[in-house]
Amino acid sequence: MSDNVYGDIVTNGLWTNNQALVALLGLCPLLAVSSTAINGLGLGVATMATLTLTNLIVASIRRWILQEIRIPMFVIIIACVVTAIELLMNAHLHDLYRVLGIFVPLIVTNCAIIGRAEAFASKNNVVRSTLDGLVMGLGFALVLVFLGIIREILGYGTIFRGAELMLGPWASDLTITLASNYDGLLLAILPPGAFMALAVIIALKNKIDRVQQRRSANAVSVAVPLQSSRA
Amino acid sequence: MIEEQALVIAVEKGAVVVQTQRASTCGSCATKQGCGTSALAKGMGKGYTELRVVSDLDVNVGDTVILAIDESSLLKGAVFVYLLPLIAMILGGITGDYCANLFALNSEWLSIVFGVAGLVGSLLLIRLNPYAHRFQQQIQPRMVCRKY
Amino acid sequence: MAISSEHKGMVVAGWLLAVSALLGTGLLAVVNQHSEPYIAENERIMLLRSLNEVVPIESYDNEILEDQMMVLAPEYLGSKKASIVYRARKAGKPVAVVLTVVAPNGYSGPIVLLVGIDYSGDITGVRVVKHRETPGLGDAIEIERSDWIERFTGKSRRNPGRAGWKVKRDGGEFDQLTGATITPRAVVAAVSGALEYFEHNRDNLFISNAEIQARDEEAKGLQQ
Amino acid sequence: MSVLLLTALALAFGVFLGFVAIKFRVEGDPIVEKIDTLLPQTQCGQCGYPGCRPYAEAIASEEAEINQCPPGGEAGVQALAELLGKEPMPLNPDNGVAEEGPAMLALIDEETCIGCTKCVQICPVDAISGAPGFMHTVLDVYCTGCELCLPPLCPVDDCIIMVPVEANIRTWKWSNPEAVGAVL
Amino acid sequence: MSDNASTSQATSPFVPSSTSVGAVMRKVIYALIPGVVLYMILFGWGIVINIILASVSALLFEAIMLMVRGRPLRMFLFDGSAVVTAILLTLALPPMLSWWIPVLGSFFAIVVAKHLYGGLGYNPFNPAMMAYAILLVSFPLQLSLWAGPLDLIAQPLTFVETLNYSLFHQLPGAMAFDSLTAATPLDYLRTQVGLGQTVEAITRAPIFGLLGGQGMEWVNSAFLLGGLWLLYMRIISWHIPVAVLASIGSISGLAYFLDPAVFANPSVHLWGGASILCAFFIATDPITASTTPLGRIIYGLGIGGLTFAIRTWGGYPDGVAFAVLLMGLVVPLLDHYTVPKVFGARTDRGNQ
Amino acid sequence: MNKLWRFNGGVKLSGFKSLSNAAGVKRPPLPKRLYLPLQQHIGAPAEALVEVGDKVYKGQLIAASSSFISAPVHASSSGTVVELKKHIIAHPSGIAEDCIVIETDGKDEWHSSISALSNPDALDLDELRSRISEAGVVGLGGAVFPSGAKLKPTRSIDTLVINGAECEPYITCDDRLMRTRPREIIRGLLLLRRLVNPTECIIAVEDNKPEAVQHLRRAIDELKSEGIGSVSTVRVVAVPTLFPAGGEKQLIKVLTGKAVPQRGLPYEVGVVCLNVGTTAAVYDAIYEGKPLISRLVTITGPNVKHAANYEVPIGTPVQHMLDIAGADDTGGGEQNRLIMGGPMMGHVLPNAQVPVVKATNCILVEPKADVVPTTAMPCIRCGSCADVCPMHLLPQQLYWHARGKAFDKLDHHNLADCIECGCCAVACPSKIPLVHYFRFAKTEKKEFDAKAIFADQSRVRMQIREARIAQRERELEERKAKRKADRLKKKKAKAAAAAASANASVDDQDQASNGVSV
Amino acid sequence: MGEYLTLLFATIFVNNMVLSRFLGLCPFMGVSKKLEPAIGMGLATAFVLTLASVCSYLANEYLLQPFGLEYLKTVTFILVIAVIVQGTEMVLRKTSPLLHSVLGIYLPLITTNCAVLGIALLNVQEDNNFVRSALYGFGGATGFTLVMVLFASIRERLELADVPESFRGAPIALMTAGLMSVAFMGFAGMA
Ligand SMILES: Cc1cc2nc3c(=O)[nH]c(=O)nc-3n(C[C@H](O)[C@H](O)[C@H](O)COP(=O)(O)O)c2cc1C
Ligand SMILES: Cc1cc2nc3c(=O)[nH]c(=O)nc-3n(C[C@H](O)[C@H](O)[C@H](O)COP(=O)(O)O)c2cc1C
Ligand SMILES: Cc1cc2nc3c(=O)[nH]c(=O)nc-3n(C[C@H](O)[C@H](O)[C@H](O)COP(=O)(O)O)c2cc1C
Ligand SMILES: Cc1cc2nc3c(=O)[nH]c(=O)nc-3n(C[C@H](O)[C@H](O)[C@H](O)CO)c2cc1C
Ligand code: SF4
Ligand code: SF4
Ligand code: SF4
Ligand code: SF4
Ligand code: FES
């Protein structure tokens, strides 16, 4: 099975145990900064970096951490990593930093990060932990971007508006305008829209999972007498 | 009526000492392993609290019993313990602010001092005040029955 | 017996945490060292950028960010707190000022504006800094939402004159926004107030910092 | 200066947190008791543990899933899920299937019983009485229906059988109106 | 259990119930008719077009959702609740609108607020009001343009012209949309107060009519009549309407008494907006209101108070919808904490 | 004095009483077999005193009451005991319970012990009470609670209420009883009055039964003129017709304005309430010495030719009565739904073979074709149910929590106080079978509690067993250790003995160390 | 006083922490399946949040700023919060064991509640003084508690609703939060 470990880590992070869709963790930044795709991308990348780095650090020093105080240790490590990222963003991606506001430092309290440190990094080797951090972060970032795209399309009729915030002035051409004289469904970019869009995304994921489950159940039922599969 | 399970750890005359046990942490975890919240609760939250309950029920050490407290008195208790100090602190701070304005002091030290005084004072009050004591009695749980 | 081992654990744990905190902060100190200048520069640029929206960059040559003073005029500028005025000069001659103006009676709360006024009393530009108007209705005063705010550029006390400084519905010169008259009304009134303030205080507004200092000293001297 | 300050701060916080962490360390898992009360106490071992309490301990330490107790049924899983804040899941078929229908009791055919006492020894709730060499009886008020005493444990075929608990008007229940199709 | 048992499971009472959900909803629709007809006479055809659009689309969405969810179509489609929702939603909207706004409103009401929660009986939020609130925050522009009463308008539109506007956004000739609109009394009140005028002066404007709204006062009186009929028919209980009207009336009365220059008089509050419609038809939505007598009274008082607060200090000219939604949030708690005492309740239940 | 109060809610129903109350009481021929269930009352079942083959006589005690709250059973006619076996009884479960089956001999011979009492008024109170109990008198108003137990109030009683309200549609047996035996009812009442010693006695009759009121009042006047002066304190009160005015708590409220405490009994507000049928049964038991072996049963329904009240021996199969009353049975009995009791609170009989019991006041025969199947819709929380609930409950909330089996919430909403009157279900526009939900929830809760207790028992037994096993193991271990030590000791001793000859002092040391280690 | 009341009203209703500021959503979603835990969590959060708001204000104003260490505010605040949580736990255990056992479980959860850190950071951003910090924390926490209790009570009711399968659980809860947020927009402009 060991060759499958990495594969498992990847599917786990991206789909089965996606931090945002399944574990419902880190919802605050998810909802707060996903009004456009670029904002989502910005915070997603920052979160991903934090997850990867903390997992890496925790995994590499896990032997020296005293069991009783591991949680405070994790907190300190995470806080330091996030602050470093915050400072760097402030220095080099200032515009984006301003848009994301306090949600950059708030990555500290993104429960997913300490959760991965405790549940994975403190028990696995450096390579696996780093991969786990990367993939979990990626899973989170993808949802963030996807949510951003949906809300942006509904709310503004564009995709990747404000790309220059992240990538510099040249990137303003990246903005795709889908409907030029679109009024915009304001709801989508207001707080209620964030909740509702995420609700619909999770419902979609549930639906996909269920369809898949039914399909595999059907496949199995050829061999095994059918069991009523009422979940 | 809020019910709590507890384990009897000592039986005295007319009273028993019980250990209450904490329930699950939070409901958020579809997958507990990934949840930092539960990790934290595990790492930092501590399990047992001991308390003495007046009771003449016939129980033995090791029995599980049910304690019950009236919901409203528990709520009152919670408000007492949690909210009173905060309100005292805020009111203290505002008073300090007001005094500072009165004496045209351009500093907030007064409100800080008053606020902290309010907080500490009300905490002490809760501990020392005879009414609070009575109150603590009132929110004493009753042991309703042996757990079946 | 148990206590002493507990104590020892505690101290060890404390030191461990302390050391890791120290390491962490050390690292952060380094990062901070690196990023501090960038951050300061960024902040400067941000401010400059917004000032340049209301005062064209080519019209002045001084360090506009350094050339500032505090003013307090609640009846004209709408704010009970003192606000900063930036002064633009070219070759030492006064060119324009940038005032922070608050329109207190927006549809849902105060609206904060930056108003640039050139030495002759013409508006060089107006921008909304902060507001809470209804998205989709009152927020058309933002430059990102519509160019309504651009209409002020070039206007002055005399152009369109006292009666004109109103929205059209009230018989004035300025368009109201469809379905939202209050917001533009508030903004127009606030900009008009700023112009009036400028008119009364033009020369005081351009006093250089050195002069202020001198005046202060003089006052002190007088007191003594 | 600032470095000094920070070190002091970190040290103070560190000592405090260390103190708290060690002083109030969790001893054992407190939740076992609560889990145990939700288990049916049939003591049948189908969950793969020797009785309900060991299974409760296993759940608490997250060694076991919550879906391994067939006698508890879906309702039991539901209750555990609620207690532990987990998602309910279907019963694990590896542990056996939840039996529908009336509760069952063991009944010893007194004619064929050879008095080997094997059943007495295994019965987890002392529901069988009898002395070596004499016929045995199930005390039906105690029997949990765990089936541990059935053959092959009992060396005589058909000596111990499971019979449904007889329904009477005192234990009879009204049907669920929903099941009767009354409501959508 | 034996076959016998299952046949005998049918349980008393064996007396069939005399009413049905459909009958209840139909009566609500009948009670709304006088008000709607007056509305049409006084404010033009727009309301009729909107009601048709909203009802048809509501039924359509209802049917689609029932099919998707695999629920019996006949039973639920004709229970009338979707039509009640559609009419009440339309009554909250301005009468001159593009067709897609009522349709989108029906979508939010029926699909989002109702069927995502399981359809009839399960929705925790008032669908009509939720849809209105969503439309209001999404399209504040379209939703704040009200057609004025016909006798204040120079050249009223015909049915076909109104339909043409609704479907194609076209007005006859050179007519400007502005000429058809007038602020609603409450809106006018808000904006003028913002300008620093005294309420007394403001409420002398023609749109305020006799009681609080030119035209609106008659429509509201008709709703009052319909509401009283519902009370008489025992479709609604007295608690909610009385509480709502009493609290709006008394709070605004008190405010008016204290400072008539700043606060409008109670009749403007009662007849100028949606207070009466709310008291009898919206706040009384059985599904989203409290079900205990005391709970209903608190619910009604809360709606009245919040309505007044939002009208006076809030960001919206009429606070009815938000007040209903906000109090709706409290309903489960109200239900839980206001369980009436059982017949013969002992004063201290502690010792049993 | 004559003020009446109101109770909350209630529903107005069409009575359908004229179907069966026109004709006088009829006496049907004896059935071939009588099926007498041992449990016809609330409380512990009675214990059979007869064997198969025994000859029994009418009125003979054949099953004795087994505890304080229990009631004996008497043979309702003479004949032979042919079976002691389980037979499906008149219970919604359709479960078979123990019955004594008597094959009647048609002679209807009274047992020798049955004879009218010469001077019943001389009986002392305890004897009076015990005679009532021994006669097997139970409440005939529906709850079949052993009356003897009810007649021993622990506080002083103000009012004795005789319940002749008969608020259920269709049922007319009490009506007929009051018309045909008013004198007996009143004399029974006077006996009860001796027992509970109230300050006033009220016979309450719904105002849709004017004849019954008339008969009762006339009987009072007659008795008064016969010199029984104590009758003058007995009042006959017509109460408004509103279901469930006959419910004990509601009736007491209407008559006295007092509310019986929640989950309490009438005597707590100084009231004792008995049904008119019960009162008549008390009269029979005391004055005639006859135990409760028959009762009036209304056989009615749209397709019953001779809808009327019948004096039916307890144990008569329902089918026998249907045949006599001429119920249409073209479908072999399959086309009818049989309801025992009224349409509001009765229940469907599992089949027509079940016997009439003491609780059977009415058999309502409804063609199944007339039963319109309705599907319930979701609750729209309209509150109509709460408006009509005489107990001030919130049926819609109870229904909601019954669905979720949220027992704590059901408790919060006082499920236990529901009297299952059915008003809520009749008022519900969504046609939800509310009472079914409540009955379901009540039995679920009962089972849940029972299971919890059983689980606790099992846990304790398991713990005891484990402790015992551990103890035995420890003992075993100890014994083994001891044996080992002994063996070692012996060995050592042997070795020592061998070595002793060589060195005596070493031996001493060895012994000592051994002693310590044991 | 009026200013303070306005601030309180604004933080509780208008800028509700959960519904319009998006803070504290994890416990909001996680501990709201049942009413009782929601009340417990709310009260505990109210306490810690207010204290944390004040303490981090003090730490920032009198420790970090004088030494130019603002960049360490995140680290410092999170430590301050952790210490407050632990301190509260200890005090509670001493003063009221029963409350501790019923409500104390929520305390450790609060450390990773981003609302607490968020309020502390917002305090700095909004340049609040001592009293305003306290009120800001208190109001925010009250708003949090209020919304969470309402949300929990609605979710309890939803348990038996015939919600479409794909929407059961988290999606309908989020949808409900969204619709609650719409309702709360009614407070817009009121402060
Ligand atoms: C939800 C809502 C939000 C509104 N927001 C604003 C706003 O932000 N600014 C504004 O000037 N008017 C706003 N209004 C509109 C005013 O109520 C009023 O209609 C308008 O300002 C004056 O109308 P007029 O343009 O016809 O004179 C809003 C109206 C509604 C219903
Ligand atoms: C367990 C139990 C004990 C009772 N004890 C008494 C009693 O002591 N005195 C009394 O007058 N009635 C007693 N009753 C009878 C009730 O008062 C009542 O008459 C009976 O439950 C039937 O009432 P119903 O047909 O209105 O339900 C008792 C009933 C039960 C179930
Ligand atoms: C809803 C309801 C309706 C009742 N209706 C009658 C009735 O009409 N007549 C009657 O005698 N008892 C009726 N009872 C039974 C009485 O409550 C009470 O049990 C009876 O009068 C006590 O007398 P008993 O013990 O002699 O039966 C009814 C009970 C309930 C719960
Ligand atoms: C008296 C009464 C008032 C009603 N009010 C409303 C209402 O305000 N909004 C609404 O959407 N539906 C209303 N309905 C219809 C119905 O209850 C509504 O569609 C349900 O909320 C959908 O589940 C009402 C129904 C009745 C009987
Ligand atoms: S499977 Fe059997 S032993 Fe295991 S928990 Fe369930 S009942 Fe107990
Ligand atoms: S008698 Fe048999 S089935 Fe019953 S509990 Fe004992 S071992 Fe289990
Ligand atoms: S059946 Fe129960 S809930 Fe329904 S009306 Fe009667 S007492 Fe009330
Ligand atoms: S009468 Fe029926 S629909 Fe109305 S509240 Fe009661 S149960 Fe619900
Ligand atoms: S991300 Fe805000 S509480 Fe979890």
Side-chain angles (χ1 to χ4, degrees), chain A residues 17 19 22 25 71-72 111 114-116 118-119, chain B residues 28 30-31 33-37 39-40 43-44:
Chain A
N17 196 13
Q19 295 296 289
V22 179
L25 295 174
I71 302 288
C111 323
I114 192 168
R116 288 328 282 174
E118 158 79 4
Chain B
S28 79
T31 46
Q33 36 165 335
C35 173
T37 303
L40 230 113
M44 287 179 156

Side-chain angles (χ1 to χ4, degrees), chain F residues 486-501 507 510-511 514:
Chain F
D486 282 353
R487 226 179 292 134
L488 215 70
K489 213 155 112 186
K490 262 188 210 146
K491 232 193 229 164
K492 282 233 173 101
K494 237 186 236 163
S501 53
D507 186 41
D510 221 41
Q511 286 286 18
N514 242 342

